[in-house]
Amino acid sequence: MSASGARGAGVGAPERRDVKDACCWVGPGPHLDGRHADALSAAPLRELLRRGGIAAGLVSPAAGLTARTQEEADAANATLATLPVGGPLVPAPVVAVGADADPEVAGRSVIRLAATGARAVRIRLDATVPGDAAAGTACLVRRTCAAVGLPLVVHVRVADPRCVPALPGLDECGDAAIAMVARAAPGVPLLVTGVPNGRHDGLLALHPDVVVDTAFLDGPDAVRRLVARAGADRVAFSGHAPYLSPGAGLAKVHGLSEEDARAVLGGTLASFGIAADRR
Amino acid sequence: MGAGARVTTACSSRAEGPPPIIDAHAHVGSGFAPWRGGVDAADDLAATARDCGIDRVLVSCLGRDGLLEHPSPAELTEANLIARRAVSEHPELAGLVYVSPDHPRASLDEIERHIVDGPFVGLKLWIARKATDPDVGPLVERAAALGVPVLQHTWDKFVDGFPGESGAADIAELARRHPGAILQAAHLVGLGRRGVDTVAPYPNLLVDSSGGDAVEGQVEYAVRTLGADRVVFGTDAPLRDVHAALAKITRAAIDDAAAALVLGGNAARHYRRLAQGGQVRR
């Protein structure tokens, strides 16, 4: 890709109107204090994405990041009701799968959410390891999602742990737990968002169904090089707003062929069936 | 530079044309593999700067094959010669002398070699010792006397910190002790809003935008709290993606005048030897 004109603009992907973001958050949540108050509701989030050059996003409630039970998750999911129906912010409610979550309730919640307009379900595995109760619940959710045709998203990192105080429920699970969840429904793509820098290749190698995001990917030309190693169909752009600047995140996507850029900036996400809000 | 040096809003006199874009924090060294077809990382750094419209990149070398926390005098010399060679081969690059309070005498010699008798434009302090260590003082005083800034690594870490790593409070104390020196605290993301608040009272202290993730609102907060004249653009490349680091500034909700200062106006004003072409100046 040749240099784009404006000084300081970098040589990112050409201006697009169809960029889709695999991970953004709405409402209050961990590490989102008053400093982010202007980006907590749907309208400011949409403006933040628009300013970053992003047309649509898969949105989950930030409070759901630390939900221990489905009751807490559903309270957080209520925030998604603020998203305009049919708009570019596509709801991905949270299902609780931690040690305190009831597996049966989790499974039933997937079916309920699928019937009420969810376009995907997002879970956080916390410090889950294969063999523990949370792992079993996560696998059940994975199988149920596959059965009802609802894409599942596993979220790992919320913020660089060096930069924020540790909070209960925000530990990061290891690759083995994610691979175990992937194996629970073989042949069905599994989107992993908030992948910490340095773990993308390992996760992709662990299971062929895993697709990773770009929010925390860093290093020179990191997206281009990851796509060269793994293929664009296994990489989805995410900006992780309002934690991170979606515009700066989008700037990481540069140096790709038009075909690969199209995939990373929306095609891969669309292949999950997450093209638009259909509530 | 006399006591009470202060960051000002006045831009250096400059010919007509767009304001400069200066990456005030980057690295070279064979420990960094080239990533886009160059012979070495310096090649790729310069090529990326050209692509992104970055006029100058301030580089230090922290070790030949890796990042050395406690370099010996010989390793300091070797590292600075690597940076010197990169600077001589790439007009986009300008050098910062890697110095260590573990070796004050050798570090002062390096300053003589590369600033007094060479083209380098500032100093780089990493994590050998905290910024408050008494042996840091003479190095900073020498920089102040020469009128060159000091880039000090900073990061207030909740986990995984290094023993000699400085945080906002450390560099704030250094700034208090040496009001005649211009200090650049690295890694806005590592300082956070609390760190910005901590360094705010010291007008001789700049903060660079390099390092880590692009935390939403952080550049805006720094500009609002410190003033646009105390924030400088940096990438920490090749550890980081230059395009994304640049977008932290170009995508921030700050006005054009502030962005111009952050992107290069401030660095041009303080790294005065950039304009002097790194001429020998005894």
Side-chain angles (χ1 to χ4, degrees):
Chain A
M1 203 172 286
S2 61
S4 57
R7 294 173 80 252
V11 280
E15 287 292 326
R16 316 181 68 99
R17 296 182 178 181
D18 55 352
V19 175
K20 296 180 180 66
D21 186 334
C23 180
C24 40
W25 306 92
V26 68
H31 300 309
L32 285 177
D33 53 24
R35 299 171 307 184
H36 291 79
D38 57 350
L40 295 181
S41 61
L45 174 63
R46 185 172 179 184
E47 172 57 21
L48 182 60
L49 296 178
R50 187 204 61 74
R51 185 159 54 82
I54 294 156
L58 190 61
V59 186
S60 297
L65 284 162
T66 51
R68 292 168 301 171
T69 65
Q70 194 55 41
E71 192 174 20
E72 290 180 2
D74 284 338
N77 290 335
T79 313
L80 297 176
T82 65
L83 304 183
V85 173
L89 302 181
V90 180
V94 168
V95 170
V97 299
D100 297 330
D102 182 325
E104 283 188 31
V105 171
R108 284 201 304 271
S109 296
V110 170
I111 295 167
R112 171 175 53 85
L113 292 168
T116 54
R119 301 300 299 146
V121 157
R122 203 181 308 260
I123 62 173
R124 247 192 61 76
L125 293 177
D126 194 10
T128 301
V129 295
D132 68 18
T137 306
C139 288
L140 175 66
V141 167
R142 163 82 161 146
R143 284 192 294 271
T144 309
C145 280
V148 300
L150 198 59
L152 178 64
V153 186
V154 176
H155 191 81
V156 181
R157 171 162 289 183
V158 176
D160 183 339
R162 297 175 302 171
C163 298
V164 293
L167 290 179
L170 288 185
D171 291 342
E172 296 170 1
C173 68
D175 292 354
I178 296 168
M180 180 204 57
V181 172
R183 283 196 297 270
V188 179
L190 176 67
L191 178 58
V192 185
T193 56
V195 177
N197 192 36
R199 288 179 57 184
H200 293 75
D201 287 289
L203 269 174
L204 291 169
L206 269 176
H207 201 281
D209 293 335
V210 167
V211 171
V212 296
D213 78 335
T214 60
F216 291 99
L217 183 63
D218 204 354
D221 296 6
V223 172
R224 176 184 63 75
R225 296 157 81 197
L226 179 64
V227 165
R229 293 191 299 271
D233 59 339
R234 300 194 69 191
V235 181
F237 162 72
S238 85
H240 196 43
Y243 288 96
L244 302 182
S245 159
L250 186 57
K252 295 179 192 175
V253 184
H254 58 84
L256 300 177
S257 69
E258 176 56 28
E259 184 181 4
D260 285 348
R262 201 161 43 237
V264 171
L265 295 174
T268 301
L269 190 63
S271 73
F272 281 75
I274 313 173
D277 182 6
R278 293 178 189 161
R279 285 175 293 173
Chain B
M1 190 177 290
R6 183 182 171 83
V7 175
T8 66
T9 53
C11 281
S12 58
S13 59
R14 181 176 163 81
E16 292 294 321
I21 299 180
I22 299 171
D23 172 0
H25 185 161
H27 301 283
V28 294
S30 56
F32 300 110
W35 65 93
R36 50 175 288 178
V39 172
D40 57 23
D43 264 0
D44 284 354
L45 198 56
T48 302
R50 287 193 296 273
D51 281 353
C52 291
I54 296 171
D55 298 284
R56 304 298 296 275
V57 183
L58 310 191
V59 297
S60 59
C61 177
L62 304 184
R64 188 187 64 186
D65 299 324
L67 307 180
L68 301 176
E69 298 169 29
H70 297 282
S72 67
E75 287 169 331
L76 277 177
T77 297
E78 184 177 33
N80 286 322
L81 287 174
I82 288 168
R84 183 78 169 259
R85 187 164 57 247
V87 165
S88 70
E89 291 174 354
H90 301 285
E92 297 87 355
L93 308 185
L96 302 178
V97 187
Y98 184 27
V99 295
S100 169
D102 286 347
H103 308 290
R105 183 65 259 166
S107 293
L108 290 169
D109 289 346
E110 291 297 306
I111 293 170
E112 292 296 300
R113 187 174 298 129
H114 295 290
I115 294 181
V116 177
D117 294 330
F120 282 20
V121 299
L123 270 59
K124 165 71 180 182
L125 281 161
W126 196 35
I127 56 173
R129 300 191 198 176
K130 285 184 178 289
T132 50
D133 188 281
D135 285 330
V136 171
L139 305 178
V140 172
E141 279 302 308
R142 184 66 179 130
L146 291 169
V148 298
V150 178
L151 167 55
Q152 165 72 63
H153 169 99
T154 49
W155 202 303
D156 281 317
K157 289 179 180 165
F158 289 89
V159 293
D160 299 334
F162 298 101
E165 192 162 29
S166 298
D170 300 305
I171 196 166
E173 171 60 16
L174 188 65
R176 188 193 66 78
R177 291 178 190 173
H178 304 282
I182 294 295
L183 306 179
Q184 175 182 328
H187 312 133
L188 173 59
V189 73
L191 296 176
R193 296 180 185 225
R194 191 170 52 180
V196 168
D197 293 343
T198 300
V199 304
Y202 303 95
N204 57 325
L205 214 168
L206 315 171
V207 171
D208 82 37
S209 62
S210 75
D213 307 307
V215 173
E216 172 61 22
Q218 208 162 48
V219 168
E220 291 88 336
Y221 185 81
V223 166
R224 202 162 57 238
T225 304
L226 303 176
D229 53 338
R230 289 180 57 193
V231 182
V232 294
F233 160 59
T235 63
D236 216 354
L239 293 164
R240 307 289 177 181
D241 185 273
V242 173
H243 300 75
L246 186 56
K248 284 182 186 177
I249 311 302
T250 59
R251 293 285 189 171
I254 55 177
D255 64 39
D256 289 348
L261 287 171
V262 174
L263 285 170
N266 295 329
R269 190 167 69 255
H270 292 294
Y271 287 95
R272 288 178 294 172
R273 285 171 59 86
L274 284 171
Q276 296 162 359
Q279 297 301 308
V280 175
R281 188 165 56 91
R282 283 189 175 275

